Amino acid sequence: MTKIHHDVDTALSSVKNGHTLMVGGFGLIGAPLTLIDGLTKKDVSGLTVISNNLGEPGKGLGALLSQKKIKKAIGSYFTSNREVGDAYQRGEIELELLPQGTLSESMRAGGAGIGGYYTKTGVGTDLAKGKEEREINGQTYLFEPAIRADVALIKAWKADTLGNLIYYKTARNFNPLMATAADIVIVEVEEIVEPGELSPEEIVTPHLFVDGIFLARKRLTKEGVIDHE
């Protein structure tokens, strides 16, 4: 059965009310902008979104935030979008702040089947409140649970029709980790090629992690987000 989806509604059919989503991107770089745009048009609500940030005002996940479809966000850098703080102050969204390294390692643990891990990051700060502490070799560590999601929406540069993925420079960011840590993985790509056209040395995410492939219709340029030519 083909993994390629030709319309965004079909690509997003796995996303349901109340789901936990991982969404790739650092700012708007490496974010699956076409799939996010599709979510703004889908009748879905009560989402928990795991992402480094929530886009920018009206752009990327920021557009989803404006529609009040996000119940909770777990991430590291929410201040890139002033509207996130405003929504939090109004009680419209719950936020869970994790340092970027902790966010990455928690997703890696989720993908590796590890229940959690201990880290020194956050010890002695408000981020440690309510978390288990343990002394290891005379130093205090915090326990951080692994993170997984129902669905991951990620962005890659190229995919072959099997679902093997390669990424473009910093657009790689959180996407490969998210590909391992969700029950269903949908990837938005710039180009789809035949098996054998990607060098095995370039492939970062093997096809066994990918459930669906969608060809991007929006892209990020110096001028902003535009429709794909």
Side-chain angles (χ1 to χ4, degrees):
M1 184 175 65
T2 181
K3 294 182 178 180
I4 300 173
H5 298 298
H6 296 287
D7 66 88
V8 72
D9 291 339
T10 302
L12 294 172
S13 61
S14 300
V15 179
K16 308 296 183 184
N17 289 338
H19 263 179
T20 296
L21 306 183
M22 286 182 176
V23 183
F26 188 99
L28 298 178
I29 300 296
L33 297 172
T34 311
L35 292 175
I36 294 171
D37 184 65
L39 281 178
T40 67
K41 300 168 184 175
K42 182 179 175 68
D43 184 15
V44 65
S45 62
L47 300 174
T48 294
V49 173
I50 302 167
S51 188
N52 178 64
N53 57 283
L54 291 182
E56 299 176 3
K59 299 177 182 179
L61 288 170
L64 206 63
L65 173 72
S66 299
Q67 295 179 328
K68 301 181 181 179
K69 292 183 176 180
I70 303 175
K71 176 185 69 174
K72 178 180 179 179
I74 302 171
S76 299
Y77 194 62
F78 297 127
T79 53
S80 63
N81 184 352
R82 174 63 181 270
E83 294 179 355
V84 178
D86 294 340
Y88 177 77
Q89 293 296 330
R90 294 192 298 266
E92 295 173 356
I93 188 171
E94 179 184 349
L95 299 179
E96 182 176 340
L97 185 64
L98 292 176
Q100 282 183 333
T102 301
L103 178 65
S104 297
E105 182 64 8
S106 296
M107 290 189 288
R108 190 201 67 80
I114 298 170
Y117 60 96
Y118 289 93
T119 177
K120 291 190 288 184
T121 304
V123 171
T125 73
D126 286 346
L127 297 179
K129 291 181 178 178
K131 294 183 178 180
E132 176 195 341
E133 294 187 355
R134 181 174 179 179
E135 185 174 310
I136 302 174
N137 294 328
Q139 298 189 58
T140 302
Y141 288 76
L142 297 179
F143 179 78
E144 293 286 351
I147 293 177
R148 287 191 59 84
D150 298 300
V151 181
L153 304 179
I154 66 171
K155 177 70 183 291
W157 179 29
K158 292 182 182 180
D160 64 21
T161 56
L162 297 175
N164 295 302
L165 307 179
I166 63 175
Y167 300 87
Y168 185 74
K169 298 183 178 179
T170 57
R172 178 168 171 171
N173 50 68
F174 295 93
N175 287 295
L177 289 170
M178 292 180 174
T180 69
D183 296 337
I184 298 173
V185 176
I186 308 299
V187 56
E188 177 179 328
V189 297
E190 297 291 325
E191 185 178 350
I192 301 174
V193 300
E194 293 300 317
E197 293 188 42
L198 300 179
S199 166
E201 299 300 324
E202 296 179 296
I203 293 170
V204 175
T205 299
H207 64 87
L208 61 91
F209 289 108
V210 175
D211 298 287
I213 307 165
F214 184 76
L215 194 61
R217 296 175 185 168
K218 292 184 179 294
R219 63 185 303 187
L220 182 65
T221 70
K222 293 180 179 178
E223 289 73 35
V225 179
I226 64 173
D227 290 335
H228 214 297
E229 296 179 358

